[in-house]
């Protein structure tokens, strides 16, 4: 496909370049379907009811060990076969569990659990790791009456501390960074309107909320009235884990997997030079340890792009921020009002 001048449109950078994701080519060689080893139903790569791979793939997949436990709460109306949450459960079976609402755990008596959900008073991962309580600046620039999860107009990292940190605070921050501040993270897998109902449940609403850094989603399904930083569930899990690891243990300077993710705030201050070595017992800085969670996601991304050109898919033409759409609507309204005043 070419533009009006006959010039092919530029192809996007491979967003997964530099990540440590296994080669997915062998998935294209899988012929037909197999029976699930648990329920016996016919499946292609994995069973989206039992969360297990088919027998043919079991020994070919590299499973991921996570530093914390992950619970994913799925709305009962979500189509299981289309949810990327299943990818995380398949590839990290020891650490990821999926629950269908309302059959969920009661987190009120469980310590060390956070909910990844964009409430107005949510902490960033950096604040969670440092122990500093941030002060939100001007409601993230939202118009009055708008919620952070529906119309974000500036960066999630646009926060200010209550006061300038002292030397003692800096020491405390360094000490806290040597261990992970949470034991479990909870994610909600549903549409925005559905997840509000789940969040109001007392078993979930009791949790401290955390927001993740903005990153451009590579999800191929169009989500109406949502910006490009609305991530698919497995992208959100991956994003939280790498932020948690980087804030606690740093980012390996050799790792190139973040270059094409569209970060608005790249963690340059967390870079660790690999020549420096590690002290005894010190965890390694992030170098792709959780990237293979995106294995099936990458396969589907490549498959979609085998049939469709990137720029033709509506999902990739969404604005980065909805503020553009909001401002356009306001401008159009003003123009209409001006036109009416001129004709009367």
């Amino acid at each position: 496909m070419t533009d009006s001048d006959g010039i092919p449109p530029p192809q996007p950078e491979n967003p997964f370049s530099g990540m440590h994701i296994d080669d997915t080519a062998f998935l294209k060689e899988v012929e037909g379907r197999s029976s699930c080893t648990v329920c016996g139903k016919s499946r292609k790569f994995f069973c989206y009811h039992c969360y297990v791979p088919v027998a043919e793939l079991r020994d070919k997949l590299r499973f991921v060990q996570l530093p914390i436990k992950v619970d994913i709460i799925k709305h009962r109306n979500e189509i299981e076969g289309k949810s990327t949450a299943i990818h995380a459960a398949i590839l990290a079976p020891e650490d990821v569990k999926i629950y269908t609402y309302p059959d969920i755990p009661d987190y009120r008596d469980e310590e060390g659990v956070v909910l990844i959900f964009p409430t107005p008073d949510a902490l960033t991962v950096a604040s969670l790791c440092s122990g500093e309580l941030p002060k939100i600046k001007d409601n993230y620039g939202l118009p009055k009456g708008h919620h952070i999860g529906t119309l974000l107009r500036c960066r999630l990292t646009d926060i200010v501390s209550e006061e300038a940190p002292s030397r003692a605070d800096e020491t405390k921050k360094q000490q806290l960074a040597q261990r992970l501040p949470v034991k479990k993270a909870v994610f909600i897998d549903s549409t925005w309107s559905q997840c509000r109902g789940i969040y109001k449940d007392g078993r979930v609403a009791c949790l401290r909320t955390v927001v993740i850094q903005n990153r451009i989603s590579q999800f191929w399904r169009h989500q109406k009235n949502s910006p490009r930083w609305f991530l698919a569930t497995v992208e959100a899990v991956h994003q939280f884990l790498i932020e948690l690891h980087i804030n606690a243990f740093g980012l390996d300077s050799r790792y190139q997997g973040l270059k094409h993710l569209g970060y608005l705030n790249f963690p340059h201050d967390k870079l660790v030079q690999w020549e420096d070595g590690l002290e005894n017992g010190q965890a390694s800085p992030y170098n792709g340890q959780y990237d293979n969670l995106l294995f099936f996601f990458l396969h589907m991304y490549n498959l979609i792009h085998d049939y469709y050109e990137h720029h033709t898919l509506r999902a990739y033409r969404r604005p980065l921020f909805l503020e553009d759409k909001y401002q356009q609507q306001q401008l159009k309204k003003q123009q209409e009002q001006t036109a009416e005043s001129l004709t009367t």
Side-chain angles (χ1 to χ4, degrees), residues 273-310:
Q273 300 300 323
W274 66 274
E275 299 94 339
D276 296 341
L278 299 174
E279 298 178 1
N280 291 334
Q282 182 180 352
S284 300
Y286 191 73
N287 192 19
Q289 288 91 322
Y290 318 126
D291 288 356
N292 214 49
L293 285 175
L294 300 177
F295 176 77
F296 286 114
F297 188 88
L298 172 60
H299 169 71
M300 289 302 301
Y301 177 91
N302 289 336
L303 190 63
I304 292 293
H305 284 75
D306 284 344
Y307 290 94
Y308 303 97
E309 294 194 42
H310 185 88

Side-chain angles (χ1 to χ4, degrees), residues 76-138:
R76 60 178 177 271
N77 291 338
E78 283 293 297
I79 301 175
E80 292 182 324
K82 294 183 178 180
S83 173
T84 65
I86 298 170
H87 301 175
I90 297 294
L91 294 165
E94 296 182 4
D95 300 310
V96 178
K97 291 184 178 179
I98 298 179
Y99 299 92
T100 301
Y101 188 80
D103 185 15
I104 63 173
D106 190 338
Y107 298 106
R108 284 174 287 200
D109 298 324
E110 192 170 349
E111 296 182 355
V113 185
V114 295
L115 174 67
I116 312 305
F117 193 76
T119 60
D121 58 350
L123 298 176
T124 63
V125 179
S127 298
L128 181 69
C129 290
S130 69
E132 296 176 357
L133 295 179
K135 179 181 178 181
I136 298 175
K137 184 178 179 180
D138 298 330

Side-chain angles (χ1 to χ4, degrees), residues 195-264:
C195 73
R196 289 180 178 180
I198 296 176
Y199 172 69
K200 291 180 181 179
D201 190 304
R203 296 171 293 176
V204 176
C206 62
L207 296 175
R208 173 186 290 181
T209 53
V210 175
V211 288
I212 53 180
Q213 174 62 268
N214 289 341
R215 133 182 175 183
I216 296 177
S217 174
Q218 301 303 327
F219 195 36
W220 48 89
R221 288 198 176 92
H222 177 63
Q223 302 178 68
K224 187 177 180 180
N225 295 327
S226 66
R228 279 291 303 277
W229 53 263
F230 268 29
L231 302 179
T233 302
V234 73
E235 289 180 297
V237 172
H238 177 256
Q239 175 63 25
F240 175 73
L241 290 172
I242 61 177
E243 281 192 56
L244 187 66
H245 196 111
I246 289 172
N247 278 282
F249 308 116
L251 174 64
D252 194 313
S253 60
R254 298 168 296 177
Y255 181 66
Q256 301 297 311
L258 305 184
K259 291 182 63 175
H260 305 297
L261 289 182
Y263 273 101
L264 297 183

